Amino acid sequence: MDILSQQQRSRAKPEFQAIILSGLGTRLGPLIESHGDDPTPKALLPINNKPMVSYCLSWLEEADIREALIVCPPKHVSGLTDHIQATSPILNVEIHAYDSESEESTSTVAILKKISSRIQTDFIVLSCDFVPAPDLKLSRLLNLWRADISEIIMASLFHEASDEAQKRKDEPLPTTTFRGPLLLGVSYNAKSDVRIPMHLFTKFGQCRMSSRLADSHVYIFRRSVLDLLPMVPELKSIKKDLVPFLCSLQYSRTKRKRYADILISPEKPTTANNVQDKGSINLLTAFQYSTTQELEFQNAKPQPRSRTPTTPAKPGWDEEEEDSNAESAPSDLEEEDPSFIPALKCGLLLHRDGNCGRAFSLASYKELNQMLLKATVSEPKRVRDGVDAKAQISANSSWSASSKLGEGSVVASSAVGQHCTIGANCRIINSVVMEHVEIGYGVKVENCILSRHTKIGEKAELKDCESVPGAEISGGASYKGVRLSSKMSMAVASSDEDEDDEEE
């Protein structure tokens, strides 16, 4: 149940804006290559016969988010615009292009800086390749934020990684430190031991660490985080730099002194006249308006601190040693020295029931398709238009009504897109077949991804392959573990290319 009712939300200004990041997706290899002059946006790659960005948009709509901004390379704007207009989502969707030629401009933190003027509220950041589980509601993360809105500066969603994901050496999982609903630290340095500051243990006591959790790349940030970014220029990646930095503010008193006034700026007091304009209030303020009793501390004035001179003390448990050459901090006798530093919190929501993940590489794209096919089992239909009566489609397959299947062919644990033609006596097993694919007589396809407009000649055999859009495979050919190009004499062995997180 949402803390804010539907009626309250309709009267208030938008509580959150959503930012959907859609990069080039180079780790998806041949799947994102252009078909002639027609580019292939990563966000429109199908997962279980549905464009991956549609999962994000539906998820936001379910949580009553009103505004979304999709950030993508310039060459993808046209395709995404056509898709949004064709699907007519309920929320207001805008598309913004970033400079994909410059490495500096493609970092996720740099993108946030570029679009900061368009963000007026607290905001949600998510990747277009995230597919949530059916029982995972975004409102759970939003309510975690609302329950502690006076101190929380970030909230993150992590999910328990599958067994396959934990085995991938080229995609190491982070080491995550947390305690209950608080995210205390994230480290992606798999080549060295994880260093945990003693300040953290002194403040929070017993904590938990795990290397089985995956970052879903779903975050909520306080609007003031955008004001912080120019002050910390070394921040490049959201998940590898910004998130760990914000976590460190929870236990580093020195950093809190430096940045707390930026992140938790003094706000206009909430009154009965402006409570609706704020859009959201914390629970303490809500209780204030539910009773006629005065809260004693509301009118209390801060008491002056003792002015008794003291000798310099060693740094406290949550303080850091200052450089001896650095500018000295204000003394106790200076009025500017604050008597109170607000607490800062980073929230954490853990999803442990599986059936969700990110499709940012070939391996994860295949896994997520199979995961959703298993989770969305439907009753097989004996009579389908375009499907021969002697053909078979398994219950855990996804079939588009506009496609055709020949006599004696079998489709099992596979997704077949729109306007495909599959000849007689074919075997399509554990594969993804995108739209407008033509497969000839007697073809065997196992554990493959066939991009749009791929053509396969009669009696060809493919296993563990991925094709570029428009690939043509001659009849009788046999390939295993290769990338299928438009000219198969140029086929090369399949390999995942390294890509920085910012281009995902």
Side-chain angles (χ1 to χ4, degrees), residues 93-129:
V93 180
E94 296 184 17
I95 300 176
H96 175 82
Y98 66 84
D99 181 10
S100 57
E101 301 299 325
S102 170
E103 183 177 351
E104 283 294 322
S105 64
T106 58
S107 74
T108 47
V109 170
I111 289 174
L112 289 183
K113 292 179 182 178
K114 294 276 188 182
I115 63 174
S116 60
S117 61
R118 305 184 65 167
I119 303 176
Q120 306 301 325
T121 66
D122 297 338
F123 58 101
I124 306 164
V125 176
L126 67 162
S127 176
C128 72
D129 57 26

Side-chain angles (χ1 to χ4, degrees), residues 3 20 54 77 101 106 162 207 272 359 388 436 471 478 484 504:
I3 292 178
I20 301 176
S54 295
V77 171
E101 301 299 325
T106 58
S162 64
C207 305
D388 189 271
H436 297 284
S478 178
L484 307 173
E504 292 175 10

Side-chain angles (χ1 to χ4, degrees), residues 169-462:
K169 296 182 180 180
D170 59 330
E171 302 169 8
L173 297 172
T175 300
T176 307
T177 306
F178 61 98
R179 180 179 180 181
L182 291 180
L183 178 64
L184 304 180
V186 183
S187 174
Y188 283 88
N189 191 357
K191 297 182 180 180
S192 63
D193 295 335
V194 179
R195 299 179 61 185
I196 305 297
M198 288 303 299
H199 309 314
L200 187 152
F201 289 111
T202 307
K203 180 173 182 179
F204 294 102
Q206 186 176 7
C207 305
R208 297 187 63 184
M209 296 180 65
S210 175
S211 59
R212 297 173 57 89
L213 300 176
D215 187 344
S216 301
H217 212 292
V218 178
Y219 316 101
I220 304 176
F221 291 108
R222 187 181 286 264
R223 171 60 180 80
S224 56
V225 169
L226 297 175
D227 301 325
L228 171 73
L229 298 183
M231 302 182 64
V232 194
E234 61 269 24
L235 300 179
K236 304 296 182 184
S237 166
I238 290 179
K239 75 175 186 180
K240 293 184 178 179
D241 298 324
L242 178 58
V243 170
F245 177 81
L246 294 178
C247 288
S248 70
L249 298 180
Q250 297 175 103
Y251 52 82
S252 171
R253 184 178 179 87
T254 301
K255 290 182 180 179
R256 286 206 308 279
K257 282 183 179 179
R258 191 175 305 162
Y259 301 115
D261 288 342
I262 299 171
L263 294 171
I264 310 290
S265 58
E267 294 186 358
K268 185 170 58 177
T270 302
T271 66
N273 295 327
N274 68 9
V275 64
Q276 290 187 2
D277 295 334
K278 282 180 170 286
S280 61
I281 57 176
N282 60 36
L283 295 182
L284 184 60
T285 306
F287 284 127
Q288 174 185 349
Y289 288 101
S290 67
T291 178
T292 57
Q293 295 182 347
E294 292 284 341
L295 297 179
E296 294 181 2
F297 64 84
Q298 280 188 318
N299 299 320
K301 297 181 179 180
Q303 298 297 320
R305 299 194 307 162
S306 172
R307 300 301 181 190
T308 304
T310 59
T311 57
K314 295 182 179 180
W317 59 265
D318 64 344
E319 295 177 324
E320 297 174 351
E321 292 281 1
E322 297 287 350
D323 192 337
S324 59
N325 296 324
E327 184 179 350
S328 58
S331 67
D332 269 357
L333 300 179
E334 293 179 336
E335 291 294 328
E336 290 78 15
D337 187 20
S339 59
F340 172 74
I341 301 177
L344 304 176
K345 296 181 180 179
C346 297
L348 172 67
L349 176 64
L350 289 180
H351 179 73
R352 298 185 178 276
D353 297 333
N355 292 332
C356 70
R358 292 184 58 204
F360 59 90
S361 66
L362 284 172
S364 59
Y365 180 81
K366 288 180 180 179
E367 180 189 351
L368 202 51
N369 268 283
Q370 290 299 317
M371 185 185 299
L372 293 185
L373 286 172
K374 293 177 182 178
T376 56
V377 176
S378 59
E379 291 294 329
K381 299 180 180 179
R382 295 185 178 181
V383 179
R384 299 177 191 249
D385 292 338
V387 177
D388 189 271
K390 296 183 179 180
Q392 299 180 30
I393 301 175
S394 69
N396 60 342
S397 291
S398 179
W399 180 266
S400 296
S402 58
S403 294
K404 299 179 180 181
L405 185 62
E407 178 182 356
S409 292
V410 175
V411 175
S413 302
S414 299
V416 179
Q418 297 179 356
H419 308 293
C420 293
T421 301
I422 302 176
N425 295 324
C426 293
R427 299 289 185 270
I428 313 296
I429 312 296
N430 295 329
S431 296
V432 176
V433 181
M434 301 186 192
E435 66 271 15
H436 297 284
V437 171
E438 298 179 15
I439 299 177
Y441 172 87
V443 171
K444 295 181 180 179
V445 177
E446 182 178 354
N447 197 31
C448 293
I449 303 176
L450 303 181
S451 296
R452 57 195 178 119
H453 297 285
T454 294
K455 296 181 180 181
I456 305 177
E458 294 183 356
K459 297 186 177 180
E461 295 186 9
L462 308 176

